[in-house]
Amino acid sequence: MESMVLLQIQQQRDAVAALFEGWEETLIWSCLSGSMGKIYADDAAHPRCAAAIIGDFSFLAGDAEAGEAPALVALIEEMQTREAVISVPQNERWAERLQAQYGGRCIRTTRYATKKQADAFDRSSLLKKIEKMPKGFVLKPMGEEEFTAALKETWSRDFCSQYRDAEEYAAHGVGVVALRDGELVAGASSYTWYPGGIEIEIVTRQDVQRCGLGSACASQLILNCLDRGLYPSWDAANQTSLHLAESLGYAFSHEYAAYWLKKQA
C-alpha cells in the first residue's frame, strides 16, 4: 500500500481520469469527482494504473503490466472491511491478476449494465406501479429517522452506509422507504451519488418479498430523481434485478465480469 498514491486533490483525479475513459460506471464518476470513495494510483502526475474504491466495490484500470499493478491488486484486500467485496477489472489481464492474487477466494460473476437514458421513463407507468403497492404499507421519503433505522439492520444498511451521517445524506442522498406499522420493510435509495445523479440500492426484507414493494419504492425514487434533475442509475447484480429494472423503463446495455473477493479467514 505504501507504493500507492492516494489522489486527494482534483488535479490529481483529473490526471487519472483518462485511464477510466469510456467506462460508464457512476461509482467511478463519484470517485473521480471527489464526491465519494477514493482513487489510488502508481503516480499522481503521470499514472499508468489506478483503482477506484468505493463502498463494496473497486475498479481496476490502466496498464495491467505496469510495475505497480500487483500492488494495486493487493491494495483491494488491505482496504477490505466486509466479508466479501466486488472488484471489477477493466480487461482480462486485470482479471488474471485478480485470480493470481486471490486464488479460490476470487469468484467470477456476471453483472448487467443498463443504458443511461434520462428520457426512458414513463411517468404514468411508474405511478401505476406505486398505486399497485399492497394495502397496509406506506411510502415515505428517507429522512433522519429512516436513516437511523436503516443502519440498524443488516439487510437495509446499504441504503445509507456510504454516508457519514444523516446530514450528509440529506445534502446529497435521496431515498424512499416502505413502512408497515411504522417499521421499515423495503426501500430504494442512493447507494452513492455523483454530480448529476445517483446509483440505486434497492432491497426488500425477505419476509415481504414478491409483493411489489421494491417496484413501488424504485418507481417513487425514479420520479423524485427526475423532479430534482438527477439520473437514477441502475446496475443489476443478477437477472432478477435486470428484469425489475427493465419493467421500470431501463434498457439492457451489456453484461460484464466482476469478482467476489472473500475475506481471508
Side-chain angles (χ1 to χ4, degrees), residues 15-47:
V16 84
L19 301 183
F20 294 95
E21 188 173 359
W23 205 340
E24 289 201 335
E25 172 55 68
T26 70
L27 276 70
I28 295 174
W29 298 347
S30 293
C31 294
L32 289 175
S33 66
S35 304
M36 304 180 93
K38 298 177 179 179
I39 291 184
Y40 291 87
D42 58 337
D43 185 86
H46 304 287

Side-chain angles (χ1 to χ4, degrees), residues 16-250:
V16 84
L19 301 183
F20 294 95
E21 188 173 359
W23 205 340
E24 289 201 335
E25 172 55 68
T26 70
L27 276 70
I28 295 174
W29 298 347
S30 293
C31 294
L32 289 175
S33 66
S35 304
M36 304 180 93
K38 298 177 179 179
I39 291 184
Y40 291 87
D42 58 337
D43 185 86
H46 304 287
R48 291 183 60 196
C49 59
I53 301 177
I54 180 170
D56 295 336
F57 291 81
S58 62
F59 300 85
L60 294 163
D63 184 2
E65 301 299 338
E68 297 296 339
L72 201 63
V73 174
L75 174 67
I76 296 172
E77 183 168 47
E78 293 182 41
M79 299 290 290
Q80 187 169 345
T81 59
R82 295 193 179 182
E83 289 303 312
V85 292
I86 302 168
S87 187
V88 184
Q90 192 175 53
N91 51 50
E92 281 301 315
R93 185 66 185 103
W94 279 114
E96 291 170 0
R97 285 205 177 277
L98 281 167
Q99 292 169 318
Q101 175 73 24
Y102 299 109
R105 293 189 290 125
C106 182
I107 303 172
R108 186 181 177 111
T109 186
T110 300
R111 295 182 66 91
Y112 305 88
T114 61
K115 296 179 181 178
K116 293 174 173 55
Q117 301 171 309
D119 59 352
F121 306 105
D122 185 304
R123 287 178 176 268
S124 61
S125 176
L126 294 173
L127 287 170
K128 289 178 181 178
K129 292 183 182 298
I130 297 170
E131 293 170 357
K132 291 180 180 179
M133 188 174 66
K135 293 182 179 180
F137 299 90
V138 295
L139 294 185
K140 188 177 180 182
M142 178 80 79
E144 184 173 356
E145 182 177 348
E146 293 72 34
F147 180 96
T148 301
L151 288 177
K152 290 181 179 179
E153 301 291 337
T154 301
W155 72 267
S156 58
R157 181 176 56 189
D158 280 339
F159 286 150
C160 43
S161 62
Q162 303 310 312
Y163 299 83
R164 290 189 301 271
D165 49 36
E167 184 177 350
E168 184 185 20
Y169 186 90
H172 300 293
V174 55
V176 175
V177 297
L179 304 175
R180 181 176 62 183
D181 298 327
E183 184 180 20
L184 192 155
V185 295
S189 178
S190 51
Y191 178 68
T192 51
W193 72 278
Y194 66 97
I198 66 165
E199 186 67 38
I200 291 179
E201 172 78 10
I202 177 170
V203 188
T204 300
R205 203 172 68 184
Q206 190 171 6
D207 61 315
V208 290
Q209 290 179 355
R210 300 185 183 281
C211 61
L213 292 177
S215 180
C217 289
S219 294
Q220 186 63 66
L221 178 60
I222 292 169
L223 290 171
N224 292 351
C225 285
L226 296 179
D227 289 342
R228 293 172 55 173
L230 301 174
Y231 183 76
S233 177
W234 187 302
D235 189 84
N238 49 52
Q239 287 280 356
T240 300
S241 176
L242 177 62
H243 293 157
L244 175 56
E246 290 175 328
S247 75
L248 297 168
Y250 293 91

